Amino acid sequence: MQQLYVVGFEVAVADDGSGPPAFERLLAHMLQHVSPEKNGLSVSSFMLGKGEAVVPGYGPGRSEKHVSWFPVAAVDGHRGLRMEIEEDLPRGGRFVCQLTASESGGTTGFRVVMGRKSDGLLAPATVEDLRPPRALQAIMKDSALRRTDGHDSITATVTPALTAQVPAVRERLGAAGRRLPILVVSSIRTMGPPAAFARKAAQRLAGLAHVVVVSGWLAFDSFNAELERNLLPRDGARLYWPTADARNPWWSSTELYGDHEALLGRLTRLLAPLSVVARERDRLWDAVRSSETDAILEDLAGSESGKITQLKEKLEEERKQSVDLFEQNEQLESQVARLEIQVANLTAQLETAVLSSTAEPIVEQKRPVANPGDFSSDWDRWEQESDGGLVFTPNAKEQWRKCSYPYPERMREALDTLAELAKEWKAQRGKVGTSLVSWVGDSTPLVYAPSDEPLRRAKKHEFKFEREKPWDRQSHIKLDDNTSPDRVGRIYFAIDNAAHRWIVDHVGLKLYGL
């Protein structure tokens, strides 16, 4: 098999996780590939012995898949399962996806290798068409699992950053020991096309790159403020390699407002060959297989004749030869991958040479607001930009005018973001497919809480607006928690499910504890 893509990481049950151990959870996710509802297979049956199944193709025109699996259960603490999924490619050859779950010496790991069996076909492979298999997607969504590669935490979610989170992002870019590149996306509009691209990239590039989206003008200017080179283009993206001396490629706003699938294909074509070179042999799987061989030899050790000793020696000799062949094959595959990377680099250099644009993006900075705490011209703007999804009461405006919150830029940034969220929530008529806490947290860096018990006990949770019946304003956005009370910001609002709008009645400091 010609390897085209390799993703691997260690897996452990999260501190607050419950249920099956990590290895069993991996098997449950791998089981999806054999249509268990049709074949009657279970996690326990996987480990009973070798097996195979033919599964219909996903979607019209897709060829059927041949799935085979090979379990290893040597001794306690050493077990594994390798699954291979093959299907014919429309342009010749066979696509192969190899999934491996291993447990050895108290460590559990998962590895995905995707590649091609060319069947003698002398033609380049289409790396950009590769997509994470269903098992990998499910493992990424499993909140009970913690996935790590060295010091890197492996996820399929985008990390959103407003101004307050920018220092942590820059620290992450310079962190020693970081293994994966970081794709940083600028999205001046929190819910704009660049942010949508970042969410798609986080899923497609899981295990190949981390994805961060820097939202809004303030965060964008803050990110670039201390950079002399490798600036982030406005509403564009830049890939920051783990090594400081590498050239960090970038993409303009035109590309992020364009065909996302085409751009994701280019990123996959850039990163997938590097993953083949960077990943070594699956040492955890090797340890499991070695333990299996050792167990067999131990069983033979008590047998009767000297021929057993000769057999053991022969097996050991053949095992060493197999390892040598594996290593030679790896070296050859790495050479092929390096040649493909060189071709890609030369192609990129040629494209750069013929382009008339400059090698670095021209970064536009927004002029600072003369009085950042003056929202007088912004209240109506936020209501209009939200299409009426965000409404401010006279009390909200008055409370902000009188308050002494020390970070007006952050509050302005939060309200910019809240207006975009309210617009999207109104457009979907409040049906976002998950809880509002998860939706806000997954879409933006804002921290939303649906209730506030101290506010309710203080009887400060109700207000009147446009009707006699009071509204409940316990729903709130938190700013700058875990600090002195005179620095804790809050946006309190009621949720009008009938008109699909959020009615903001307080902007300023927290209403209790001062």
Side-chain angles (χ1 to χ4, degrees):
M1 176 178 69
Q2 177 192 6
Q3 294 187 359
L4 303 173
Y5 165 111
V6 180
V7 164
F9 43 82
E10 292 185 4
V11 181
V13 175
D15 295 336
D16 55 349
S18 59
F23 184 77
E24 277 73 14
R25 300 188 79 93
L26 294 179
L27 296 192
H29 295 311
M30 294 169 69
L31 189 64
Q32 297 180 34
H33 289 280
V34 293
S35 300
E37 65 282 353
K38 295 180 180 180
N39 294 317
L41 294 168
S42 64
V43 170
S44 58
S45 64
F46 257 164
M47 298 301 292
L48 294 178
K50 295 180 181 180
E52 58 182 35
V54 176
V55 180
Y58 308 129
R62 296 293 298 271
S63 62
E64 62 184 15
K65 300 175 185 290
H66 181 267
V67 185
S68 59
W69 58 93
F70 170 63
V72 177
V75 293
D76 290 341
H78 299 277
R79 51 184 177 162
L81 179 79
R82 173 158 286 178
M83 173 184 287
E84 286 199 352
I85 307 157
E86 294 189 22
E87 68 174 300
D88 291 326
L89 293 169
R91 287 169 288 199
R94 287 178 69 80
F95 168 77
V96 182
C97 177
Q98 187 183 84
L99 309 176
T100 307
S102 307
E103 183 182 71
S104 180
T107 300
T108 303
F110 184 73
R111 191 177 180 98
V112 179
V113 178
M114 290 192 285
R116 181 187 69 165
K117 291 181 179 178
S118 64
D119 295 335
L121 184 70
L122 189 62
T126 52
V127 179
E128 57 269 29
D129 292 338
L130 295 176
R131 283 170 170 76
R134 287 192 296 167
L136 179 59
Q137 296 177 43
I139 290 166
M140 289 294 171
K141 292 178 182 178
D142 192 337
S143 59
L145 293 177
R146 185 176 66 252
R147 302 156 298 271
T148 56
D149 180 11
H151 297 296
D152 291 27
S153 177
I154 307 300
T155 71
T157 56
V158 64
T159 301
L162 291 174
T163 306
Q165 290 81 36
V166 165
V169 174
R170 282 204 299 262
E171 181 180 353
R172 191 175 173 191
L173 292 179
R178 174 166 64 91
R179 293 188 177 182
L180 298 185
I182 299 178
L183 180 68
V184 182
V185 177
S186 161
S187 183
I188 301 302
R189 288 176 49 219
T190 304
M191 306 292 287
F197 169 77
R199 289 191 289 272
K200 295 175 186 176
Q203 296 179 18
R204 182 77 65 85
L205 305 178
L208 295 176
H210 306 295
V211 181
V212 175
V213 59
V214 175
S215 301
W217 272 107
L218 286 171
F220 171 71
D221 288 345
S222 176
F223 181 86
N224 280 334
E226 297 183 15
L227 294 177
E228 296 181 0
R229 58 192 182 93
N230 293 320
L231 296 175
L232 178 65
R234 178 174 64 86
D235 276 339
R238 188 154 212 156
L239 190 70
Y240 293 87
W241 300 111
T243 53
D245 56 344
R247 180 183 178 275
N248 300 312
W250 60 277
W251 297 269
S252 68
S253 60
T254 302
E255 291 163 295
L256 269 70
Y257 273 83
D259 187 341
H260 286 175
E261 283 302 314
L263 183 52
L264 288 171
R266 289 166 61 188
L267 280 163
T268 303
R269 190 167 65 245
L270 173 66
L271 294 171
L274 291 171
S275 72
V276 177
V277 177
R279 304 295 175 198
E280 298 179 346
R281 290 173 51 78
D282 191 346
R283 304 295 179 186
L284 210 55
W285 174 253
D286 288 347
V288 172
R289 295 302 308 273
S290 179
S291 297
E292 178 191 38
T293 303
D294 291 342
I296 294 173
L297 294 177
E298 285 295 326
D299 289 342
L300 293 174
S303 299
E304 49 191 346
S305 70
K307 291 184 179 180
I308 298 302
T309 303
Q310 295 177 6
L311 176 60
K312 288 171 64 179
E313 292 174 353
K314 184 66 175 176
L315 283 172
E316 184 63 26
E317 181 182 343
E318 290 185 356
R319 183 165 68 175
K320 289 179 179 178
Q321 290 177 355
S322 297
V323 170
D324 289 341
L325 289 173
F326 272 127
E327 291 177 349
Q328 291 175 24
N329 184 59
E330 274 193 329
Q331 291 174 3
L332 291 172
E333 288 182 343
S334 294
Q335 289 175 14
V336 171
R338 289 190 183 97
L339 288 173
E340 290 180 345
I341 293 168
Q342 289 177 16
V343 171
N345 285 339
L346 290 171
T347 303
Q349 291 173 17
L350 180 62
E351 291 174 352
T352 302
V354 299
L355 289 175
S356 59
S357 61
T358 58
E360 283 292 312
I362 298 174
V363 177
E364 175 187 357
Q365 287 191 325
K366 190 176 182 181
R367 295 177 61 183
V369 178
N371 183 3
D374 182 8
F375 293 174
S376 57
S377 62
D378 295 300
W379 304 113
D380 289 343
R381 175 177 65 83
W382 285 320
E383 292 188 359
Q384 291 171 6
E385 289 180 352
S386 69
D387 290 343
L390 195 66
V391 177
F392 297 92
T393 67
N395 181 66
K397 302 173 185 178
E398 180 64 16
Q399 290 298 315
W400 175 252
R401 189 186 66 80
K402 296 190 302 183
C403 92
S404 57
Y405 180 65
Y407 309 115
E409 296 91 347
R410 295 184 189 176
M411 186 63 76
R412 179 187 298 274
E413 189 177 49
L415 289 168
D416 280 340
T417 302
L418 195 64
E420 290 195 45
L421 282 172
K423 178 181 179 179
E424 184 67 20
W425 186 80
K426 181 181 177 69
Q428 298 188 36
R429 303 183 65 81
K431 298 178 181 178
V432 292
T434 184
S435 70
L436 202 54
V437 173
S438 297
W439 184 67
V440 172
D442 292 343
S443 305
T444 75
L446 296 182
V447 178
Y448 166 74
S451 62
D452 192 327
E453 184 60 23
L455 185 75
R456 191 191 64 79
R457 287 200 304 267
K459 298 184 177 180
K460 295 182 177 181
H461 63 295
E462 292 185 340
F463 68 98
K464 290 188 177 182
F465 178 70
E466 294 183 347
R467 70 180 191 185
E468 193 61 30
K469 182 180 178 181
W471 297 95
D472 188 325
R473 63 178 183 183
Q474 288 188 71
S475 295
H476 61 282
I477 299 296
K478 300 180 178 183
L479 283 79
D480 305 293
D481 258 5
N482 303 314
T483 185
S484 57
D486 61 338
R487 295 173 178 269
V488 178
R490 287 290 187 271
I491 303 171
Y492 290 100
F493 59 95
I495 297 178
D496 182 354
N497 288 305
H500 302 109
R501 61 180 181 167
W502 298 340
I503 305 172
V504 179
D505 190 56
H506 177 84
V507 178
L509 294 170
K510 188 165 65 171
L511 284 171
Y512 53 88
L514 297 175

